[in-house]
Amino acid sequence: MKIKNWIYTAALGAAISFTGINTVSAQVAQERYFRAIGTPHNPKVQVSWNRYHTNLALEEIMKDMAKQHPNLVRLESIGKSYQGNDIWVLTVTDFNAGKAEDKPAMWIDGNIHSNEIQGTEFTLYTAWYLTEMYGDLDFITELLKDKTFYIAPTINPDAHDYFIKEANTQNSPRSGMIVLDNDGDGLAGEDPFNDLNKDGHITMMIRKSPTGRFIKDKMDPRKLIPVAADQQGEYEMLGYEGYDVDGDGQVNEDGIGYYDPNRDWAWNWQPDYIQRGAWKYPFSVPENRAVMEFVMKHPNIAAAQSYHNYGGMILRGPGAEEDLNTYNASDVRVYDAIAKKGEEFMPGYRYLVVYKDLYSVFGGQLDWFYGGRGIFTYSNELMTSYLYFHQNAGRGNQDEQMKVDTYLTFGDAFVNWEEYDHPQYGRIEIGGFKKNFGRLHPGFLMEQDAHRNSAFTILHGYHTPKLSVSEVKEKDLGGGLREITATVYNERLIPTHSSQDLKYKIERPNHISISGANVVAGFVVENEDFNKLKEQKVNPEKLEVDNIPGMGAVKVRWIVSGGRNFSIDVDSVKGGKASWKK
């Protein structure tokens, strides 16, 4: 017996050591671990959510998801980036419970701006969580039976890896990798940042100067602090690391960047002289065009979420005041209900309107999804300094950032000042915060914020329409005729057609059909109490209903003969399908 136990233990250890936890049964996992509430206990796909993944790692994880969850995940490339990288999309749904395109769907993407890479991780976390919790949580299981999620972790794969692998600031590059002539000298990209100390980060350059307006803090020499107006300083700021490559007297003026992929969308687009960052014309950025074409081919998308950074914000449109009347009051009530609930379980995040609470944006993704496609869409600005000490110190607060570096990252966030002989500035010092601090989450904050933001996105997806035939009444009219009245109920907040959808007839009406009986006449019931009806004289067996409101119902009526065993079917582009059979 002892020998057998020893052999079992050795074999178990070998399985864990050499093949990973996936080969260990759920029973063994139960013996070794105690399940934390709301978390996959024995995930089939092992991912660490305290780090950032390159394109190669992302592809490996997504392919593993599709392999481990074949009934829940499909992976496809929806197009190529400027540099030829695949733009991957995961389709997540219970394929055994119906076709993905027949269910109300949600689009989720991240990383349209290259330095905003935690959006990639948060979208991927959402796909991982949904698939790993399927079968363990009734809510998630039912959700994937009812809904489809189209998830694109990065829609800017070129610059995603460029930010990670090359020396950059916290803010660069914002665009994709199309190199433009930013300074108008006839050369493109000839004067980028230069990583002078070869540490993989573009930090700051300072120099001692009798006319400098800064001194180093004697209590904390990492900090440069301004002197009073009547005091003499010791240091001057020279800007980010670099030197004048092209000899025009400017430093770092022509590198990767300038155009903004989130000013490229075909709703209220404006040229660059009005909207800084716009490029040639709407959808001139190939990555955005691939997303647009996918969305156009998937009219079942009723909700959307994009992830950016920074600021702890849940944003909705309009991006510009000129579009204020685009957002109908009934739709705004839906936006408000979902976002205000999100504020409750996302500490430090605020629900804001872009044009009113931030600045004007023309040609933004938010507005194209809603204005152009009638899709209820949010954009979350990820990471807020509130997550550090639960205080509202504000973005870029130097004192708070130094405290984080001292007490939470133990010096890992800051490059200490070091002297360097600059070819043009002479003796300088290089140092400052690393590119992956400030706008990006440190590792210890990532999984918590990923989960909270995913919970918000899941809430949004949950409230895409869910239709049911809730009541069917029959009345004998004599002469072999019967009156059949059916109530179709929408059990969620989002209507089958937004007001923008209705205004521009973006999608076809909902179809409510009866079969198994001879239809004499068909009506949409406008007011049942006063018997106010609207007759549809053509094809009365398939009634067209403009909209089924959120948390509301519509009634339809047929006059039929024969067919005692009839059935009723509902077919909505964004609302999915429902049926009733006698």
Side-chain angles (χ1 to χ4, degrees):
M1 180 63 74
K2 289 182 179 179
I3 293 176
K4 288 183 178 179
N5 287 342
W6 181 86
I7 293 173
Y8 170 78
T9 303
L12 174 61
I16 293 172
S17 300
F18 295 106
T19 61
I21 193 67
N22 287 340
T23 62
V24 183
S25 67
Q27 180 180 356
V28 173
Q30 188 66 36
E31 292 173 354
R32 286 179 160 260
Y33 311 115
F34 181 55
R35 182 180 180 276
I37 291 297
T39 302
H41 183 53
N42 186 34
K44 293 181 178 179
V45 179
Q46 291 286 319
V47 186
S48 295
W49 297 109
N50 60 354
R51 59 189 178 188
Y52 297 95
H53 297 90
T54 65
N55 286 341
L56 175 62
L58 291 171
E59 185 175 337
E60 289 173 345
I61 293 168
M62 289 187 287
K63 287 181 177 179
D64 198 19
M65 285 182 176
K67 179 181 178 181
Q68 297 296 335
H69 303 282
N71 296 324
L72 300 177
V73 179
R74 301 283 189 274
L75 178 64
E76 66 177 307
S77 172
I78 65 170
K80 296 288 187 178
S81 66
Y82 171 70
Q83 293 183 335
N85 286 304
D86 284 301
I87 302 168
W88 294 108
V89 169
L90 292 157
T91 299
V92 179
T93 189
D94 182 348
F95 288 96
N96 290 333
K99 296 179 180 178
E101 60 270 24
D102 288 343
K103 303 176 185 180
M106 183 169 192
W107 168 270
I108 310 170
D109 70 48
N111 193 211
I112 189 172
H113 292 138
S114 63
N115 60 324
E116 300 175 356
I117 59 174
Q118 71 266 64
T120 298
E121 305 302 324
F122 285 26
T123 56
L124 190 65
Y125 178 90
T126 305
W128 177 83
Y129 190 84
L130 287 170
T131 54
E132 295 295 345
M133 296 305 287
Y134 179 91
D136 287 342
L137 289 180
D138 290 344
F139 177 88
I140 299 298
T141 303
E142 288 302 313
L143 185 72
L144 293 188
K145 290 182 183 297
D146 292 342
K147 315 289 185 182
T148 297
F149 292 84
Y150 300 117
I151 300 176
T154 174
I155 58 174
N156 192 350
D158 299 349
H160 172 272
D161 264 20
Y162 181 84
F163 175 80
I164 291 174
K165 295 181 178 181
E166 303 298 329
N168 280 289
T169 73
Q170 298 175 19
N171 307 308
S172 69
R174 185 173 173 83
S175 67
M177 296 302 294
I178 302 171
V179 183
L180 305 177
D181 179 13
N182 295 338
D183 58 353
D185 65 354
L187 301 173
E190 82 284 355
D191 198 354
F193 295 115
N194 306 107
D195 185 11
L196 301 177
N197 58 356
K198 306 300 180 185
D199 65 353
H201 302 274
I202 298 298
T203 53
M204 302 301 296
M205 302 186 296
I206 61 174
R207 178 175 63 180
K208 285 188 175 182
S209 170
T211 59
R213 302 305 302 156
F214 298 88
I215 60 172
K216 287 184 178 179
D217 189 336
K218 293 181 180 180
M219 298 296 292
D220 187 349
R222 294 172 301 174
K223 293 167 57 177
L224 251 66
I225 55 177
V227 296
D230 60 349
Q231 291 181 325
Q232 183 178 6
E234 187 180 4
Y235 286 91
E236 63 177 335
M237 304 287 290
L238 299 175
Y240 286 114
E241 281 182 77
Y243 57 90
D244 181 10
V245 177
D246 56 358
D248 64 354
Q250 300 181 77
V251 177
N252 303 334
E253 86 283 357
D254 198 3
I256 301 297
Y258 181 74
Y259 73 94
D260 187 333
N262 202 32
R263 307 294 184 266
D264 179 64
W265 300 80
W267 184 266
N268 204 0
W269 183 89
Q270 299 293 330
D272 183 70
Y273 63 85
I274 294 176
Q275 173 58 77
R276 171 79 173 175
W279 197 29
K280 296 178 181 178
Y281 45 79
F283 298 122
S284 55
V285 175
E287 296 86 354
N288 293 355
R289 188 162 62 250
V291 172
M292 175 271 290
E293 290 173 351
F294 182 88
V295 172
M296 295 293 288
K297 293 174 184 176
H298 294 80
N300 58 321
I301 297 174
Q305 172 74 50
S306 64
Y307 284 121
H308 295 243
N309 75 35
Y310 166 96
M313 306 175 200
I314 304 168
L315 297 176
R316 72 159 175 89
E321 189 172 7
E322 292 89 330
D323 263 334
L324 186 58
N325 292 330
T326 301
Y327 285 71
N328 178 277
S330 62
D331 287 355
V332 169
R333 284 193 289 271
V334 175
Y335 274 109
D336 289 351
I338 296 172
K340 288 178 179 178
K341 182 59 65 176
E343 282 185 318
E344 294 180 17
F345 56 79
M346 299 170 68
Y349 281 73
R350 299 166 296 151
Y351 172 45
L352 303 173
V353 179
V354 175
Y355 90 91
K356 182 175 67 174
D357 298 311
L358 294 179
Y359 42 73
S360 292
V361 173
F362 299 96
Q365 183 183 13
L366 268 176
D367 288 324
W368 180 78
F369 266 82
Y370 177 76
R373 304 306 303 157
I375 297 168
F376 288 83
T377 308
Y378 296 99
S379 175
N380 285 13
E381 297 285 349
L382 303 173
M383 185 55 199
T384 167
S385 66
Y386 180 84
L387 299 178
Y388 290 135
F389 303 113
H390 293 185
Q391 297 173 353
N392 292 309
R395 180 178 179 179
N397 184 289
Q398 187 178 204
D399 290 334
E400 181 182 67
Q401 289 181 323
M402 293 300 180
K403 284 174 59 181
V404 173
D405 186 48
T406 299
Y407 298 113
L408 295 176
T409 66
F410 307 104
D412 194 27
F414 194 89
V415 176
N416 290 322
W417 299 107
E418 184 176 352
E419 291 188 341
Y420 180 83
D421 288 322
H422 193 280
Q424 288 144 344
Y425 289 130
R427 198 69 169 170
I428 66 170
E429 294 178 38
I430 300 172
F433 287 108
K434 297 177 180 179
K435 67 181 180 183
N436 52 342
F437 178 72
R439 296 178 70 107
L440 296 177
H441 294 72
F444 69 92
L445 287 178
M446 283 182 65
E447 184 163 2
Q448 178 190 149
D449 208 26
H451 185 81
R452 290 182 186 274
N453 275 272
S454 293
F456 173 71
T457 302
I458 289 169
L459 174 70
H460 189 185
Y462 169 81
H463 276 297
T464 57
K466 182 174 182 178
L467 306 179
S468 60
V469 182
S470 61
E471 184 183 36
V472 177
K473 296 186 293 187
E474 295 185 63
K475 181 180 178 182
D476 192 342
L477 301 178
L481 297 178
R482 287 176 296 130
E483 175 187 280
I484 299 172
T485 303
T487 301
V488 178
Y489 181 57
N490 182 355
E491 303 174 24
R492 302 292 186 260
L493 279 171
I494 294 177
T496 59
H497 294 70
S498 66
S499 60
Q500 186 73 351
D501 192 335
L502 292 171
K503 182 178 180 180
Y504 291 103
K505 301 185 185 302
I506 295 171
E507 297 300 344
R508 65 162 172 81
N510 306 296
H511 293 157
I512 305 177
S513 307
I514 188 169
S515 58
N518 299 316
V519 177
V520 177
F523 310 87
V524 176
V525 180
E526 295 181 336
N527 190 311
E528 188 175 24
D529 294 322
F530 294 95
N531 200 35
K532 186 176 180 181
L533 310 174
K534 180 181 179 181
E535 185 177 5
Q536 180 178 308
K537 295 184 178 180
V538 178
N539 297 327
E541 66 279 358
K542 179 191 278 189
L543 296 173
E544 295 188 352
V545 176
D546 291 335
N547 186 37
I548 305 174
M551 304 305 294
V554 297
K555 293 179 183 288
V556 294
R557 181 172 294 166
W558 294 276
I559 307 300
V560 303
S561 64
R564 294 289 175 178
N565 295 319
F566 60 91
S567 60
I568 296 171
D569 294 289
V570 183
D571 183 2
S572 172
V573 175
K574 287 189 172 76
K577 300 180 184 299
S579 61
W580 181 95
K581 190 172 184 178
K582 186 174 179 181

